[in-house]
Amino acid sequence: LKLSIGSEIINAVQASQEILVWTDAALYALQYVGAPIVWGSQLLADNVSIASQNSAVFAAGVTYWMGLDSFYVYDGRVSVLPCSVKRHVFRDLNSEQREQSFAGSNEAFSEVWWFYPSTGSTTVDKYVVYNYEQNIWYYGNLSRDFWLGQSVFNVPLAVSNGAIFEHENGYDDT
């Protein structure tokens, strides 16, 4: 299966009825179209970017991702996600370390999280959150290396410097 726009595949995410595939210049949807193992591709958008191989997440039936200079959403169509903190995040993002950026979800609170390295940092030390139910953004400082949304466990799990953190469990930030 050939994708005509882009020189490399950056990421793929399982969505509801398709697999979304980002190249370095476009977003495609791959769908199974029939036996024997036949897949079809559809160009969803060109001139879109993705920050890293882990900066997209599927939550509540919608795919969200961090691009090089904007946040995006795919809910049947691709659009730029209006962001009240966009300038703060992208001015502070260490572009040389952006490959470390990653996304996660906290569906119990209708949140999508992105973790990223800030200017001057060589490791992930900041986050930005979009609450899709309330349509609000917030950000802060938090070092995380990995995020696992609620799946097997009742709470999101995150790892930082070898320690495992249960998010949304308890009443403090420890």
Side-chain angles (χ1 to χ4, degrees), residues 70-92:
S70 293
F71 293 96
Y72 296 90
V73 59
Y74 174 68
D75 57 2
R77 67 184 181 98
V78 175
S79 56
V80 174
L81 189 58
C83 178
S84 59
V85 298
K86 175 181 169 180
R87 183 177 297 171
H88 171 80
V89 172
F90 289 101
R91 281 188 179 173
D92 191 34

Side-chain angles (χ1 to χ4, degrees), residues 72-128:
Y72 296 90
V73 59
Y74 174 68
D75 57 2
R77 67 184 181 98
V78 175
S79 56
V80 174
L81 189 58
C83 178
S84 59
V85 298
K86 175 181 169 180
R87 183 177 297 171
H88 171 80
V89 172
F90 289 101
R91 281 188 179 173
D92 191 34
L93 175 66
N94 182 343
S95 60
E96 293 179 7
Q97 299 293 325
R98 71 175 165 77
E99 285 295 325
Q100 294 184 53
S101 302
F102 64 94
S105 67
N106 186 354
E107 291 191 52
F109 291 91
S110 305
E111 295 172 337
V112 175
W113 289 62
W114 287 276
F115 295 89
Y116 63 94
S118 64
T119 301
S121 178
T122 58
T123 60
V124 172
D125 62 343
K126 299 280 181 98
Y127 69 90
V128 60

Side-chain angles (χ1 to χ4, degrees), residues 102 106 113 115 142-150 153-170 172-174:
F102 64 94
N106 186 354
W113 289 62
F115 295 89
L142 189 62
S143 174
R144 293 293 185 258
D145 303 319
F146 174 81
W147 181 276
L148 176 64
Q150 294 141 279
F153 304 98
N154 292 328
V155 297
L157 298 178
V159 175
S160 179
N161 296 320
I164 299 174
F165 294 88
E166 290 184 337
H167 282 255
E168 312 306 342
N169 186 12
D172 61 17
D173 62 355
T174 59

